[in-house]
């Protein structure tokens, strides 16, 4: 029987072998001084950030929701600097600091393994400490841990940790060999993927004869009845010029009737198969009866998924940069600034946004029962309402988005009160 120390030594040997192979294949190209190119859309955190020393490397990112309404948290090994340049205890604290904002809702962890080397890897002792410090509140709502581009090193480490890991937690681990496979589960375009990882994936696919197709394969033409993955204008044109998309009006109506007093509404996910089935029904133009599913979280997830899969966010690409500047506006002036931004929206987007925010304001008024305050709702909905053209949102970009969304919900009457375009609908 192989001892733990033997496995640790074997893991170290395997990691060194992988490094040598990478160096040979890439002409001695070395990443020990950090990633050769900074991650996509990684904005530098403010130097006043409590974990600036760690956050500035972009190792941990929050990247919106997956296809089923669960928060996505990403850990990129290739962003780890050499160990002597990073306090790994601080890294663990920063990871917990990030997770603390989302552990009350269902979430997903994505671990990009490529780029881990002897020079930058945390010790196995550190990994054990990390696992022991992640108590039930962290593990309970983590639905899946995706390990992307796993190697023999990962599998050996997994064997080391098996005795410590519960069977229930172990079932959450999913190995992903190519980014195309990840795209089957997540909104691939919205992930923050470091360029080094993209290049590595291209190399793996090129080496795999007849391997998986490129992640950039074109989307098929939408059906006339399509609801998900199309624009507001497309839905309106195919639904007799209805101002409020059917998915939104039906989910909001149902949730107003049966979901307002549900604790943690919008924080929980639903069965993946159920969500796929409901999306398929909507896209085929067939009726959906939410009572059949006996789960109020199904329409809640469907509403978030509908918003996230729009080809342009409800609050538009144009507003994204303006919202990012919100932190530079004095607190006392932010409501009026948000009102100006919202009133600049195209009429159809304004009407639908007003309809949605009126509903979320109603949800927040029941927060004593459902525990969903304006702030909590903003944390859930912000990334589903606004994102940049490339789809990925850095961790630091979330703060102004959440503040903006919270203002829209909390000060709904002030923000949406004066503009009354023709055809507006109130939920």
């Amino acid at each position: 029987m192989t001892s733990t120390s033997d496995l640790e030594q074997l893991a170290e040997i395997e990691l060194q072998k992988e490094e040598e192979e990478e160096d040979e294949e890439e002409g001695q190209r070395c990443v020990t001084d950090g990633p050769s190119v900074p991650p996509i859309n990684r904005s530098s955190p403010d130097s006043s950030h409590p974990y600036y020393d760690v956050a500035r490397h972009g190792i941990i990112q929050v990247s919106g929701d997956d296809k089923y309404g669960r928060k996505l948290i990403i850990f990129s090994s290739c962003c780890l600097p050499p160990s002597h340049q990073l306090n790994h205890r601080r890294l663990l604290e920063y990871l917990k600091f990030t997770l603390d904002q989302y552990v009350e809702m269902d979430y997903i962890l994505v671990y990009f393994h490529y780029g881990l080397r002897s020079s930058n890897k945390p010790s196995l002792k550190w990994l054990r400490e990390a696992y022991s410090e992640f108590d039930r509140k962290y593990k309970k709502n983590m639905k899946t841990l995706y390990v992307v581009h796993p190697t023999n090193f990962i599998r050996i480490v997994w064997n080391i940790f098996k005795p410590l890991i519960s069977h229930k937690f172990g079932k959450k681990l999913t190995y992903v060999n190519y980014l195309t496979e990840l795209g089957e589960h997540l909104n691939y375009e919205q992930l923050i993927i470091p360029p080094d990882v993209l290049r590595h994936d291209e190399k793996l696919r090129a080496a795999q004869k007849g391997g998986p197709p490129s992640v950039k394969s074109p989307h098929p033409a939408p059906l006339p009845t399509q609801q998900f993955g199309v624009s507001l204008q497309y839905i309106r044109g195919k639904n007799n010029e209805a101002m409020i998309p059917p998915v939104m009006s039906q989910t909001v109506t149902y949730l107003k009737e049966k979901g307002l007093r549900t604790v943690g509404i919008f924080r929980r996910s639903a069965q993946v198969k159920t969500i796929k089935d409901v999306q398929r029904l909507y896209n085929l133009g067939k009726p959906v009866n939410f009572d059949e599913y006996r789960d109020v979280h199904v329409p809640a997830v469907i509403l978030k998924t509908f918003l996230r899969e729009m080809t342009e966010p409800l609050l538009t690409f144009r507003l994204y940069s303006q919202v990012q500047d919100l932190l530079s506006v004095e607190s006392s002036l932010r409501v009026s600034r948000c009102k100006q931004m919202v009133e600049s929206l195209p009429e159809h987007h304004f009407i639908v946004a007003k309809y949605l925010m009126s509903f979320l304001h109603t949800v927040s008024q029941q927060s004593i029962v459902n525990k969903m305050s304006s702030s909590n709702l903003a944390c859930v909905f912000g990334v589903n309402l606004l994102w940049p053209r490339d789809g990925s949102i850095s961790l630091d970009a979330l703060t102004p988005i959440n503040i903006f969304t919270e203002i829209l919900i909390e000060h709904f009457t002030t923000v949406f009160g004066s503009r009354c375009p023709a055809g507006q609908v109130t939920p």
Side-chain angles (χ1 to χ4, degrees), residues 185-400:
H185 305 281
L186 313 175
N187 294 316
Y188 176 82
E189 294 82 2
Q190 295 157 8
L191 289 174
I192 300 172
I193 305 177
D196 282 348
V197 173
L198 291 170
R199 281 192 291 265
H200 179 64
D201 190 73
E202 289 284 346
K203 184 187 74 177
L204 291 178
R205 286 190 294 104
Q208 183 73 19
K209 208 169 185 179
S214 169
V215 293
K216 296 181 180 178
S217 55
H219 297 289
L223 298 168
T225 50
Q226 191 94 7
Q227 298 284 298
F228 291 84
V230 292
S231 67
L232 273 184
Q233 290 71 22
Y234 184 90
I235 296 172
R236 183 182 179 187
K238 302 293 183 181
N239 287 272
N240 300 316
E241 297 301 310
M243 296 303 290
I244 306 301
V247 173
M248 184 176 286
S249 61
Q250 290 166 23
T251 53
V252 165
T253 299
Y254 188 89
L255 291 167
K256 282 192 73 175
E257 182 182 346
K258 300 185 178 180
L260 291 181
R261 299 178 68 82
T262 300
V263 176
I265 190 67
F266 297 116
R267 279 184 166 175
R268 296 287 171 259
S269 56
Q271 288 190 356
V272 170
K273 184 181 181 303
T274 300
I275 299 304
K276 286 182 177 179
D277 288 344
V278 173
Q279 285 184 280
R280 181 177 57 82
L281 289 174
Y282 270 120
N283 285 337
L284 292 174
K286 295 182 178 180
V288 174
N289 181 1
F290 287 115
D291 282 327
E292 293 179 1
Y293 302 102
R294 298 179 180 179
D295 183 0
V296 74
H297 296 293
V298 170
V301 171
I302 285 293
L303 176 58
K304 290 192 296 179
T305 304
F306 170 75
L307 291 166
R308 190 61 186 175
E309 292 193 4
M310 290 169 61
T311 52
E312 180 174 18
L314 178 59
L315 299 179
T316 70
F317 292 126
R318 186 180 59 80
L319 234 59
Y320 180 81
S321 60
Q322 296 180 38
V323 170
Q324 289 303 302
D325 293 334
L326 189 60
L327 295 181
S328 63
V329 177
E330 273 187 52
S331 298
S332 61
L333 301 176
R334 285 178 183 172
V335 174
S336 59
R337 177 64 186 130
C338 289
K339 179 179 176 64
Q340 291 173 358
M341 286 191 279
V342 166
E343 289 184 341
S344 72
L345 286 170
E347 182 178 42
H348 191 195
H349 284 259
F350 178 87
I351 291 170
V352 176
K354 182 175 182 178
Y355 179 87
L356 176 65
M357 292 303 161
S358 175
F359 166 61
L360 295 182
H361 180 72
T362 300
V363 174
S364 72
Q365 290 179 316
Q366 297 284 335
S367 63
I368 293 177
V369 178
N370 61 34
K371 310 302 181 187
M372 294 303 289
S373 63
S374 297
S375 176
N376 291 337
L377 288 167
C379 187
V380 172
F381 275 89
V383 291
N384 296 313
L385 298 172
L386 201 64
W387 59 85
R389 287 192 182 275
D390 65 15
S392 59
I393 302 176
S394 70
L395 186 56
D396 300 296
L398 283 175
T399 300

Side-chain angles (χ1 to χ4, degrees), residues 62-309:
V62 178
S63 187
D65 293 1
D66 74 350
K67 291 183 178 179
Y68 312 106
R70 302 170 294 194
K71 276 285 172 287
L72 280 173
I73 297 172
I74 296 168
F75 188 106
S76 300
S77 289
C78 68
C79 296
L80 285 166
S83 296
H84 68 274
Q85 294 180 11
L86 180 67
N87 183 325
H88 287 151
R89 180 66 210 175
R90 291 277 293 168
L91 174 61
L92 177 57
E93 291 173 0
Y94 178 51
L95 180 57
K96 291 172 70 175
F97 170 82
T98 303
L99 290 176
D100 281 340
Q101 301 172 58
Y102 303 102
V103 291
E104 293 302 321
M105 62 185 81
D106 294 343
Y107 70 99
I108 301 291
L109 279 178
V110 178
Y111 169 66
F112 289 122
H113 176 62
Y114 178 74
L116 190 73
R117 292 188 162 230
S118 299
S119 61
N120 69 357
K121 76 173 183 63
S123 67
L124 292 176
K125 180 183 177 183
W126 181 89
L127 288 173
R128 287 196 194 93
E129 288 176 359
Y131 183 78
S132 64
E133 288 194 26
F134 286 119
D135 56 25
R136 187 174 181 273
K137 78 170 183 176
Y138 296 101
K139 296 168 186 173
K140 175 187 170 188
N141 292 330
M142 191 193 81
K143 297 306 174 184
T144 310
L145 166 59
Y146 291 105
V147 177
V148 184
H149 301 138
T151 63
N152 286 338
F153 170 80
I154 285 290
R155 292 177 172 88
I156 294 169
V157 169
W158 178 249
N159 284 329
I160 295 172
F161 278 84
K162 255 186 179 177
L164 305 175
I165 294 173
S166 68
H167 176 68
K168 189 173 181 181
F169 184 86
K171 289 171 67 176
K172 297 179 180 182
L173 176 71
T174 299
Y175 288 133
V176 176
N177 295 312
Y178 303 97
L179 292 175
T180 44
E181 296 174 22
L182 196 61
E184 294 172 9
H185 305 281
L186 313 175
N187 294 316
Y188 176 82
E189 294 82 2
Q190 295 157 8
L191 289 174
I192 300 172
I193 305 177
D196 282 348
V197 173
L198 291 170
R199 281 192 291 265
H200 179 64
D201 190 73
E202 289 284 346
K203 184 187 74 177
L204 291 178
R205 286 190 294 104
Q208 183 73 19
K209 208 169 185 179
S214 169
V215 293
K216 296 181 180 178
S217 55
H219 297 289
L223 298 168
T225 50
Q226 191 94 7
Q227 298 284 298
F228 291 84
V230 292
S231 67
L232 273 184
Q233 290 71 22
Y234 184 90
I235 296 172
R236 183 182 179 187
K238 302 293 183 181
N239 287 272
N240 300 316
E241 297 301 310
M243 296 303 290
I244 306 301
V247 173
M248 184 176 286
S249 61
Q250 290 166 23
T251 53
V252 165
T253 299
Y254 188 89
L255 291 167
K256 282 192 73 175
E257 182 182 346
K258 300 185 178 180
L260 291 181
R261 299 178 68 82
T262 300
V263 176
I265 190 67
F266 297 116
R267 279 184 166 175
R268 296 287 171 259
S269 56
Q271 288 190 356
V272 170
K273 184 181 181 303
T274 300
I275 299 304
K276 286 182 177 179
D277 288 344
V278 173
Q279 285 184 280
R280 181 177 57 82
L281 289 174
Y282 270 120
N283 285 337
L284 292 174
K286 295 182 178 180
V288 174
N289 181 1
F290 287 115
D291 282 327
E292 293 179 1
Y293 302 102
R294 298 179 180 179
D295 183 0
V296 74
H297 296 293
V298 170
V301 171
I302 285 293
L303 176 58
K304 290 192 296 179
T305 304
F306 170 75
L307 291 166
R308 190 61 186 175
E309 292 193 4

